[in-house]
Amino acid sequence: MLNHKSMGIYQRFLRDFKSQVFKSFGGEKFEEAKFEEKKVREEKSKIFVKDKMKVWGLAFLGLGLLSFSGCVGSTLPPLNHYELKAQDFKPCLKNPSTFLYEGILIQNKIANKQIAYKESDYAIEYFAKNLWIESLAAMLETFVVSSSQRHCVELTQTMMNIRNTFSLKVYDLYYDVPSNEAVFKALGRIQTPNMQKEIWTNQRVKVQEGEFVAIINAMNEAVNAGFDEIFKNLADFAKKK
């Protein structure tokens, strides 16, 4: 039997022998490969942790935005909608003067649902929570029909040997802040085989004290007055011809 000293010598010999054999069969490369594999695993672990943190961060951000939008939605003031009303229709009791109607053109700056105002001559702005119930272009067509009937003018879009044409263009409708007035500007154009005539209207109506609807009332009065002026002149032109 081996004593303790001999046994120790034998174990050291065995370890050295295994080490030599391990190296002779590429042991160093094996250790290097294991080290590289360990580094790759560590890098993957770091990337996984970063990605996980990003996902959680985006999730919390999304929840925060939803909460914020909910708060904003609950605090936004409601929108108010208004309309312009033409004067009541008045039947014509005599033969009307007939014109070929070429339509009404509204400047783009006021043709939509936004209600305009001006604080200076060169800047147009729009009320944030007050809108027309429909586009201004659509509403003003009603004024054309009403005003033409009251003044015994028939507008047709069907060609029937009609030599005189009529068209409208609206340039402005806004609330003028410095003067506290509603402003309406429009042009009626008559075209005959021999001549062309323009009928301008520039209406300014003082806004009475009160809530926002007072501005709408003044605008309504200005538009009605403007169309009446244009169609009265159109009817007078037809009489002379």
Side-chain angles (χ1 to χ4, degrees), residues 51-193:
D51 290 343
K52 194 172 182 180
M53 291 176 67
K54 287 180 180 178
V55 170
W56 279 105
L58 290 172
F60 281 117
L61 178 61
L63 288 172
L65 288 174
L66 285 173
S67 300
F68 178 74
S69 63
C71 293
V72 171
S74 62
T75 57
L76 284 175
L79 294 176
N80 302 311
H81 293 89
Y82 299 91
E83 65 177 341
L84 295 174
K85 184 179 179 182
Q87 295 182 36
D88 293 335
F89 290 94
K90 181 181 178 182
C92 180
L93 302 178
K94 57 184 179 179
N95 292 331
S97 303
T98 305
F99 290 84
L100 181 64
Y101 182 49
E102 295 182 332
I104 182 171
L105 178 64
I106 315 291
Q107 290 282 69
N108 287 335
K109 62 184 178 181
I110 57 171
N112 50 33
K113 292 184 178 182
Q114 293 178 296
I115 303 176
Y117 70 93
K118 284 186 178 183
E119 293 185 324
S120 65
D121 290 338
Y122 306 105
I124 186 167
E125 300 179 71
Y126 303 95
F127 291 103
K129 62 174 186 176
N130 298 290
L131 299 172
W132 297 121
I133 192 69
E134 60 181 338
S135 70
L136 184 62
M139 283 193 293
L140 292 186
E141 286 289 359
T142 306
F143 284 80
V144 173
V145 176
S146 174
S147 296
S148 62
Q149 287 190 355
R150 281 199 310 277
H151 293 283
C152 288
V153 173
E154 181 182 359
L155 300 178
T156 180
Q157 292 182 310
T158 304
M159 296 292 292
M160 296 186 306
N161 297 323
I162 300 174
R163 304 176 66 189
N164 299 336
T165 64
F166 176 72
S167 63
L168 279 163
K169 186 171 184 179
V170 176
Y171 287 91
D172 262 321
L173 176 63
Y174 63 90
Y175 169 56
D176 186 63
V177 177
S179 65
N180 189 34
E181 292 177 327
V183 179
F184 177 66
K185 298 178 182 179
L187 167 67
R189 180 178 284 113
I190 305 167
Q191 182 72 52
T192 73

Side-chain angles (χ1 to χ4, degrees), residues 2 6 8 31 72 85 102 105 115 123 128 138 163 173 181 196 201-202 214 220 225 232 234:
L2 296 174
S6 299
E31 288 293 334
V72 171
K85 184 179 179 182
E102 295 182 332
L105 178 64
I115 303 176
R163 304 176 66 189
L173 176 63
E181 292 177 327
Q196 177 177 292
T201 185
N202 184 1
N220 201 86
K232 182 179 182 303
L234 183 60

